[in-house]
Amino acid sequence: MSSQLWIVVAGCAVVTALIKGLGPAVLGGRALPARSAGVIGLLAPALLAALVVTSVLAEGQRLAVGAKTAGVVLGGFVLVRGGSVLSGVVVAVVATAGLRAIG
Amino acid sequence: MQETAPDPPPVAQPVPRESFRAGMRAGLPFAAVGFILSLSFGVLAREVGFSALGAIVMSAIVHAGSAQFAAISILAGGGGAVAATTAAALMNSRFLPMCASVAPSLAGGWARRAVQGQAVVDPSWAMARRAGGRFDRHFLFGATAVQYVAFVSGTAVGALGGSVIGDIEALGLDAVYPAFFLTLLLAELRDRRSRLVALAGGMIALALVPFSPAGIPVLAASAAAFAGLARRHRVSG
């Protein structure tokens, strides 16, 4: 493995540790302002929705709908109908693979 | 180790060991999915020139699937080390607000808190949140522990057995990652407000995709959470 790739490994480890450690190190035990509780509660839906849509609809800087999009939508149906995490993911994977196989 | 937490939790004091175990149980399904996710990372990393050891070490010391995928996709596209690391940093930038939100629920001096903050990964963070914006840190640690073991193991299997596993896309394994986040998202859509914020976050991200590097759309989507501020302000007058 080239030294360039080891630099990527080390670089990613360092930036991730810094990003995750910064808030806790700087804020310490100080309570966040009371009003921030509402914002914190809504960070998850905002960030997770963004992660989902970008991972199914973005290919680099291009927006695209494909087998993966349809597969994840099918997996989502299973989840909404009360399926387990694993069943939802398995349906998404199988549907995506199936659509690619016939497409 | 005896626990003498200086910061009083808002409701009942959770028993650390029980919280840790509860976290481990809650983390198991995500560990299973993380295993498949990291397996595909292991395969893809080998394809862009990583040794098996390099891929495993990366998962062991970075433990951030989205950032690792971002980095190798830059490398696969011919990008250099700086570009790949920057992409990973941008993808992980969402952990800035996430870890800041956890800060008051951690314990110890600044260094110990910074180390504890490393335990924040998406599923653990979402599941460890308690009333009043607090977090159950032992639950968080337990949930992340099982996911960490699965993530590193999955990477090892993918990196060492890639030739047996075959084409990640033909197998549909690239759908694991979005489906994984979709399970977390659906659990968050409890009321009308969280649905609206999710919708807004998704729209912000999609609108920025054509104009910004990977990671930035997701970070920018966190702005939608400030709806929580406005609402509360209006209610409290």
CSV table of all heavy atoms in Angstrom, one decimal, chain B residues 4-38:
chain,number,residue,atom,x,y,z
B,4,THR,N,-18.8,7.8,39.9
B,4,THR,CA,-19.2,9.0,40.7
B,4,THR,C,-19.4,10.1,39.8
B,4,THR,O,-18.6,11.0,39.7
B,4,THR,CB,-18.1,9.3,41.8
B,4,THR,OG1,-16.9,9.4,41.1
B,4,THR,CG2,-18.0,8.3,42.9
B,5,ALA,N,-20.5,10.1,39.1
B,5,ALA,CA,-20.8,11.1,38.1
B,5,ALA,C,-21.2,12.4,38.8
B,5,ALA,O,-22.0,12.4,39.7
B,5,ALA,CB,-22.0,10.7,37.3
B,6,PRO,N,-20.5,13.5,38.5
B,6,PRO,CA,-20.7,14.8,39.1
B,6,PRO,C,-22.0,15.5,38.6
B,6,PRO,O,-22.5,16.3,39.3
B,6,PRO,CB,-19.5,15.6,38.8
B,6,PRO,CG,-19.0,15.0,37.5
B,6,PRO,CD,-19.4,13.5,37.5
B,7,ASP,N,-22.4,15.1,37.4
B,7,ASP,CA,-23.5,15.8,36.8
B,7,ASP,C,-24.8,15.0,37.0
B,7,ASP,O,-24.9,13.9,36.6
B,7,ASP,CB,-23.2,16.1,35.3
B,7,ASP,CG,-22.7,14.8,34.6
B,7,ASP,OD1,-22.3,13.9,35.3
B,7,ASP,OD2,-22.8,14.8,33.4
B,8,PRO,N,-25.8,15.6,37.7
B,8,PRO,CA,-27.0,14.9,37.9
B,8,PRO,C,-27.9,14.8,36.7
B,8,PRO,O,-28.2,15.8,36.1
B,8,PRO,CB,-27.7,15.8,39.0
B,8,PRO,CG,-27.1,17.1,38.8
B,8,PRO,CD,-25.8,17.0,38.1
B,9,PRO,N,-28.3,13.6,36.4
B,9,PRO,CA,-29.2,13.4,35.3
B,9,PRO,C,-30.6,13.9,35.7
B,9,PRO,O,-30.9,14.0,36.8
B,9,PRO,CB,-29.3,11.9,35.1
B,9,PRO,CG,-28.1,11.3,35.8
B,9,PRO,CD,-27.9,12.3,36.9
B,10,PRO,N,-31.4,14.3,34.7
B,10,PRO,CA,-32.6,15.0,35.0
B,10,PRO,C,-33.7,14.2,35.7
B,10,PRO,O,-34.3,14.6,36.6
B,10,PRO,CB,-33.1,15.5,33.6
B,10,PRO,CG,-32.5,14.6,32.6
B,10,PRO,CD,-31.2,14.2,33.2
B,11,VAL,N,-33.8,12.9,35.3
B,11,VAL,CA,-34.8,12.1,35.8
B,11,VAL,C,-34.2,11.1,36.8
B,11,VAL,O,-33.4,11.4,37.6
B,11,VAL,CB,-35.7,11.4,34.7
B,11,VAL,CG1,-37.1,11.1,35.3
B,11,VAL,CG2,-35.8,12.3,33.5
B,12,ALA,N,-34.5,9.8,36.6
B,12,ALA,CA,-33.9,8.8,37.4
B,12,ALA,C,-32.5,8.5,37.1
B,12,ALA,O,-32.1,8.6,35.9
B,12,ALA,CB,-34.7,7.5,37.3
B,13,GLN,N,-31.6,8.3,38.0
B,13,GLN,CA,-30.2,8.0,37.8
B,13,GLN,C,-30.1,6.6,37.1
B,13,GLN,O,-30.5,5.6,37.8
B,13,GLN,CB,-29.5,8.0,39.1
B,13,GLN,CG,-28.1,7.4,39.0
B,13,GLN,CD,-27.0,8.5,39.0
B,13,GLN,OE1,-27.2,9.5,39.7
B,13,GLN,NE2,-26.0,8.3,38.2
B,14,PRO,N,-29.7,6.5,35.9
B,14,PRO,CA,-29.6,5.2,35.3
B,14,PRO,C,-28.4,4.4,35.9
B,14,PRO,O,-27.3,5.0,36.2
B,14,PRO,CB,-29.3,5.5,33.8
B,14,PRO,CG,-28.8,6.9,33.7
B,14,PRO,CD,-29.2,7.6,35.0
B,15,VAL,N,-28.5,3.1,36.1
B,15,VAL,CA,-27.4,2.3,36.6
B,15,VAL,C,-26.4,2.1,35.4
B,15,VAL,O,-26.8,1.6,34.4
B,15,VAL,CB,-27.9,1.0,37.1
B,15,VAL,CG1,-26.8,0.2,37.6
B,15,VAL,CG2,-29.0,1.2,38.2
B,16,PRO,N,-25.2,2.6,35.6
B,16,PRO,CA,-24.2,2.5,34.4
B,16,PRO,C,-24.2,1.2,33.7
B,16,PRO,O,-24.2,1.1,32.5
B,16,PRO,CB,-22.9,2.9,35.1
B,16,PRO,CG,-23.3,3.7,36.3
B,16,PRO,CD,-24.6,3.2,36.8
B,17,ARG,N,-24.0,0.1,34.5
B,17,ARG,CA,-23.8,-1.2,33.9
B,17,ARG,C,-25.0,-1.6,33.1
B,17,ARG,O,-25.0,-2.2,32.0
B,17,ARG,CB,-23.4,-2.2,34.9
B,17,ARG,CG,-22.9,-3.5,34.3
B,17,ARG,CD,-22.6,-4.6,35.3
B,17,ARG,NE,-21.4,-4.2,36.1
B,17,ARG,CZ,-20.9,-4.9,37.1
B,17,ARG,NH1,-21.5,-6.0,37.5
B,17,ARG,NH2,-19.8,-4.5,37.7
B,18,GLU,N,-26.2,-1.4,33.7
B,18,GLU,CA,-27.4,-1.7,33.0
B,18,GLU,C,-27.6,-0.9,31.7
B,18,GLU,O,-28.1,-1.4,30.7
B,18,GLU,CB,-28.6,-1.5,33.9
B,18,GLU,CG,-28.8,-2.7,34.9
B,18,GLU,CD,-29.9,-2.4,35.9
B,18,GLU,OE1,-30.8,-1.6,35.7
B,18,GLU,OE2,-29.9,-3.1,36.9
B,19,SER,N,-27.3,0.4,31.8
B,19,SER,CA,-27.4,1.3,30.7
B,19,SER,C,-26.5,0.8,29.6
B,19,SER,O,-26.8,0.7,28.4
B,19,SER,CB,-27.0,2.7,31.0
B,19,SER,OG,-28.0,3.3,31.7
B,20,PHE,N,-25.3,0.4,30.0
B,20,PHE,CA,-24.3,-0.1,29.0
B,20,PHE,C,-24.8,-1.4,28.3
B,20,PHE,O,-24.8,-1.5,27.1
B,20,PHE,CB,-23.0,-0.4,29.7
B,20,PHE,CG,-21.8,-0.7,28.8
B,20,PHE,CD1,-21.0,0.3,28.2
B,20,PHE,CD2,-21.5,-2.1,28.4
B,20,PHE,CE1,-20.0,0.0,27.4
B,20,PHE,CE2,-20.5,-2.3,27.5
B,20,PHE,CZ,-19.7,-1.3,27.0
B,21,ARG,N,-25.4,-2.3,29.1
B,21,ARG,CA,-25.9,-3.5,28.5
B,21,ARG,C,-27.1,-3.2,27.6
B,21,ARG,O,-27.3,-3.8,26.5
B,21,ARG,CB,-26.4,-4.5,29.6
B,21,ARG,CG,-25.2,-5.1,30.3
B,21,ARG,CD,-25.6,-6.5,30.8
B,21,ARG,NE,-24.5,-7.0,31.7
B,21,ARG,CZ,-24.7,-7.2,33.0
B,21,ARG,NH1,-25.8,-7.0,33.5
B,21,ARG,NH2,-23.6,-7.7,33.7
B,22,ALA,N,-28.0,-2.3,28.1
B,22,ALA,CA,-29.1,-1.9,27.2
B,22,ALA,C,-28.7,-1.3,25.9
B,22,ALA,O,-29.2,-1.6,24.9
B,22,ALA,CB,-30.0,-0.9,28.0
B,23,GLY,N,-27.6,-0.5,26.0
B,23,GLY,CA,-27.0,0.0,24.8
B,23,GLY,C,-26.5,-1.0,23.9
B,23,GLY,O,-26.7,-1.0,22.6
B,24,MET,N,-25.8,-2.0,24.4
B,24,MET,CA,-25.3,-3.1,23.6
B,24,MET,C,-26.4,-3.9,22.9
B,24,MET,O,-26.3,-4.1,21.7
B,24,MET,CB,-24.5,-4.1,24.5
B,24,MET,CG,-23.2,-3.6,24.9
B,24,MET,SD,-22.3,-4.8,26.0
B,24,MET,CE,-21.7,-5.9,24.8
B,25,ARG,N,-27.5,-4.1,23.6
B,25,ARG,CA,-28.7,-4.8,23.0
B,25,ARG,C,-29.2,-4.0,21.9
B,25,ARG,O,-29.5,-4.4,20.8
B,25,ARG,CB,-29.7,-5.1,24.0
B,25,ARG,CG,-29.4,-6.3,24.9
B,25,ARG,CD,-30.6,-6.8,25.7
B,25,ARG,NE,-31.1,-5.7,26.6
B,25,ARG,CZ,-30.6,-5.6,27.9
B,25,ARG,NH1,-29.7,-6.4,28.3
B,25,ARG,NH2,-31.1,-4.6,28.6
B,26,ALA,N,-29.4,-2.7,22.2
B,26,ALA,CA,-30.0,-1.8,21.2
B,26,ALA,C,-29.1,-1.6,20.0
B,26,ALA,O,-29.6,-1.4,18.8
B,26,ALA,CB,-30.3,-0.4,21.8
B,27,GLY,N,-27.8,-1.7,20.2
B,27,GLY,CA,-26.8,-1.5,19.1
B,27,GLY,C,-26.7,-2.8,18.2
B,27,GLY,O,-26.2,-2.6,17.1
B,28,LEU,N,-27.1,-3.9,18.7
B,28,LEU,CA,-26.9,-5.2,17.9
B,28,LEU,C,-27.4,-5.1,16.5
B,28,LEU,O,-26.7,-5.5,15.6
B,28,LEU,CB,-27.5,-6.4,18.7
B,28,LEU,CG,-26.6,-7.0,19.6
B,28,LEU,CD1,-27.3,-8.2,20.3
B,28,LEU,CD2,-25.3,-7.5,18.9
B,29,PRO,N,-28.7,-4.7,16.2
B,29,PRO,CA,-29.2,-4.7,14.8
B,29,PRO,C,-28.3,-3.8,14.0
B,29,PRO,O,-28.0,-4.1,12.8
B,29,PRO,CB,-30.6,-4.2,14.9
B,29,PRO,CG,-31.0,-4.1,16.3
B,29,PRO,CD,-29.8,-4.4,17.2
B,30,PHE,N,-27.9,-2.7,14.6
B,30,PHE,CA,-27.1,-1.7,13.8
B,30,PHE,C,-25.6,-2.3,13.6
B,30,PHE,O,-25.0,-2.0,12.6
B,30,PHE,CB,-27.0,-0.4,14.5
B,30,PHE,CG,-28.4,0.2,14.5
B,30,PHE,CD1,-29.2,0.2,15.6
B,30,PHE,CD2,-28.9,0.8,13.3
B,30,PHE,CE1,-30.4,0.8,15.6
B,30,PHE,CE2,-30.2,1.4,13.3
B,30,PHE,CZ,-31.0,1.3,14.5
B,31,ALA,N,-25.2,-3.1,14.6
B,31,ALA,CA,-23.9,-3.8,14.4
B,31,ALA,C,-24.0,-4.8,13.3
B,31,ALA,O,-23.0,-4.8,12.5
B,31,ALA,CB,-23.6,-4.5,15.7
B,32,ALA,N,-25.1,-5.5,13.1
B,32,ALA,CA,-25.3,-6.4,12.0
B,32,ALA,C,-25.2,-5.7,10.7
B,32,ALA,O,-24.5,-6.2,9.8
B,32,ALA,CB,-26.6,-7.2,12.2
B,33,VAL,N,-25.9,-4.6,10.6
B,33,VAL,CA,-26.0,-3.8,9.4
B,33,VAL,C,-24.6,-3.2,9.1
B,33,VAL,O,-24.1,-3.2,8.0
B,33,VAL,CB,-27.0,-2.7,9.4
B,33,VAL,CG1,-27.0,-1.9,8.2
B,33,VAL,CG2,-28.4,-3.4,9.6
B,34,GLY,N,-24.0,-2.7,10.2
B,34,GLY,CA,-22.6,-2.1,10.1
B,34,GLY,C,-21.6,-3.1,9.6
B,34,GLY,O,-20.6,-2.8,8.9
B,35,PHE,N,-21.8,-4.4,10.0
B,35,PHE,CA,-20.9,-5.5,9.5
B,35,PHE,C,-20.9,-5.6,8.0
B,35,PHE,O,-19.9,-5.6,7.3
B,35,PHE,CB,-21.3,-6.8,10.1
B,35,PHE,CG,-20.5,-8.0,9.7
B,35,PHE,CD1,-19.3,-8.3,10.5
B,35,PHE,CD2,-20.8,-8.7,8.6
B,35,PHE,CE1,-18.5,-9.4,10.1
B,35,PHE,CE2,-20.0,-9.8,8.3
B,35,PHE,CZ,-18.8,-10.1,9.0
B,36,ILE,N,-22.2,-5.6,7.4
B,36,ILE,CA,-22.3,-5.6,5.9
B,36,ILE,C,-21.7,-4.4,5.3
B,36,ILE,O,-21.1,-4.4,4.3
B,36,ILE,CB,-23.8,-5.8,5.5
B,36,ILE,CG1,-24.4,-7.0,6.3
B,36,ILE,CG2,-23.9,-6.1,4.0
B,36,ILE,CD1,-25.9,-7.1,6.1
B,37,LEU,N,-22.0,-3.2,6.0
B,37,LEU,CA,-21.6,-1.9,5.4
B,37,LEU,C,-20.0,-1.9,5.4
B,37,LEU,O,-19.4,-1.6,4.4
B,37,LEU,CB,-22.1,-0.8,6.4
B,37,LEU,CG,-22.0,0.6,5.9
B,37,LEU,CD1,-22.9,0.8,4.8
B,37,LEU,CD2,-22.4,1.5,7.1
B,38,SER,N,-19.4,-2.4,6.5
B,38,SER,CA,-17.9,-2.3,6.5
B,38,SER,C,-17.3,-3.4,5.6
B,38,SER,O,-16.2,-3.2,5.1
B,38,SER,CB,-17.4,-2.4,8.0
B,38,SER,OG,-17.9,-3.6,8.5
